[in-house]
């Protein structure tokens, strides 16, 4: 087994082991009380949010174990910062029915700073900082920031039914395995909680969806030149612009309202 293959396997394994252990620990402890961790899913069933922080931990450890230098710093920063933004919205925005860029930006124009707007600003900033760690030229830094933040948003857009976000991470991350080990970390992390996610016992929430997407974004940036960054950035901006349609496709219904 070559050195590169070992690195990918190490990232997958570390991500899976840490995420699984973190999920089990959170399920037992429920720090802050059960109410902080419980939500009602689309089917009216009570689920927990324990998988979210668990996959963040798995993705961070997996990336740190298999990468070095700027890629490691960018991956760790992006996953932690973006995951923190998602966690804030999971808690502070739990009772807010508004979703999507338009709703939160409209509220911001009216003088209301929603948790979703805070999340949007925070994720955009985190993407730009992480991108600046990976690229040298200003235009490439900007493109990298769009890719990282856009990937974080994309995974969250499809997180509307059990297993949808996990499937997206596995599908989108697989091509990245050909170019580096960064993509293996979120793939291993989300695979570790996939059975409970599919069964409707847990959900990765905004915490996990955004963080895993950010990790995939870092993998894209680390494995592509300017042309690749431009293509990915354009696709992600398009997906954000038509976010309602992306969500509807993930839901498998005509309604496009993000649950």
């Amino acid at each position: 087994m070559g050195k590169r293959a070992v690195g990918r396997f190490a990232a997958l394994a570390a991500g899976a082991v840490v995420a699984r252990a973190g999920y089990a620990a959170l399920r037992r402890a429920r720090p802050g009380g059960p109410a902080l961790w419980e939500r009602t899913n689309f089917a009216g069933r009570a689920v927990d949010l324990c998988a979210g922080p668990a996959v963040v931990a798995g993705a961070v450890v997996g990336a740190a174990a298999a990468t070095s230098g700027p890629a490691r710093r960018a991956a760790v920063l992006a996953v932690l910062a973006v995951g923190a933004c998602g966690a804030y919205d999971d808690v502070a925005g739990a009772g807010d029915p508004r979703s999507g860029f338009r709703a939160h930006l409209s509220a911001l124009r009216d003088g209301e700073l929603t948790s979703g707007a805070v999340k949007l600003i925070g994720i955009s900033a985190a993407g730009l900082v992480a991108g600046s760690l990976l690229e040298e030229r200003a235009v490439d830094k900007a493109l990298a920031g769009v890719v990282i933040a856009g990937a974080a948003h994309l995974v969250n857009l499809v997180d509307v039914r059990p297993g949808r976000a996990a499937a997206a991470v596995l599908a989108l991350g697989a091509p990245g395995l050909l170019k580096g080990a960064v993509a293996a970390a979120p793939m291993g992390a989300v695979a570790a909680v996939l059975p409970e996610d599919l069964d409707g016992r847990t959900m990765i929430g905004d915490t996990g969806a955004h963080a895993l997407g950010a990790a995939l974004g870092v993998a894209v940036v680390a494995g592509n030149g300017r042309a690749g960054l431009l293509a990915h950035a354009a696709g992600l901006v398009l997906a954000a612009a038509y976010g309602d349609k992306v969500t509807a496709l993930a839901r498998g219904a005509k309604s496009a309202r993000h649950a």
Side-chain angles (χ1 to χ4, degrees):
M1 185 181 293
K3 186 176 180 179
R4 291 184 178 180
V6 170
R8 290 160 177 73
F9 178 78
L12 277 167
V17 169
V18 172
R20 191 68 208 177
Y23 174 68
L26 287 172
R27 287 271 296 178
R28 288 193 303 268
R30 305 287 181 100
L36 183 65
W37 297 92
E38 292 176 358
R39 295 293 184 274
T40 301
N41 69 2
F42 75 101
R45 181 178 177 181
V47 298
D48 67 59
L49 290 171
C50 298
V55 298
V56 170
V60 166
V61 174
T67 60
S68 60
R72 174 186 288 174
R73 292 192 293 273
V76 170
L77 183 149
V79 173
L80 287 177
V82 171
C85 292
Y88 173 75
D89 197 34
D90 275 336
V91 176
D96 191 344
R98 291 168 294 191
S99 64
F101 284 159
R102 293 181 183 88
H104 293 293
L105 291 178
S106 294
L108 190 60
R109 283 196 299 269
D110 293 335
E112 180 186 1
L113 183 62
T114 65
S115 62
V118 172
K119 180 181 70 174
L120 172 61
I121 295 168
I123 289 176
S124 299
L128 288 171
V129 173
S132 70
L133 294 174
L134 292 165
E135 301 293 340
E136 294 182 358
R137 296 180 180 273
V139 64
D140 295 328
K141 291 177 187 288
L143 288 172
V146 171
V147 169
I148 295 169
H153 181 58
L154 176 61
V155 174
N156 191 56
L157 281 176
V158 302
D159 186 27
V160 290
R161 292 292 186 270
R164 298 291 202 277
V169 170
L170 294 173
L172 296 173
L177 294 177
L178 299 175
K179 295 185 177 182
V182 179
M187 292 174 68
V190 80
V193 299
L194 183 57
E196 289 81 4
D197 187 4
L198 287 171
D199 195 42
R201 286 178 279 165
T202 192
M203 59 192 297
I204 63 174
D206 283 6
T207 305
H210 284 304
L212 293 171
L216 293 179
V218 172
V220 169
V221 175
N224 284 273
R226 183 175 295 176
L229 289 180
L230 185 58
H232 281 88
L236 289 166
V237 168
L238 189 64
Y242 291 92
D244 288 349
K245 295 184 183 298
V246 173
T247 296
L249 287 173
R251 183 181 283 114
K254 292 184 180 180
S255 171
R257 186 173 178 273
H258 185 202

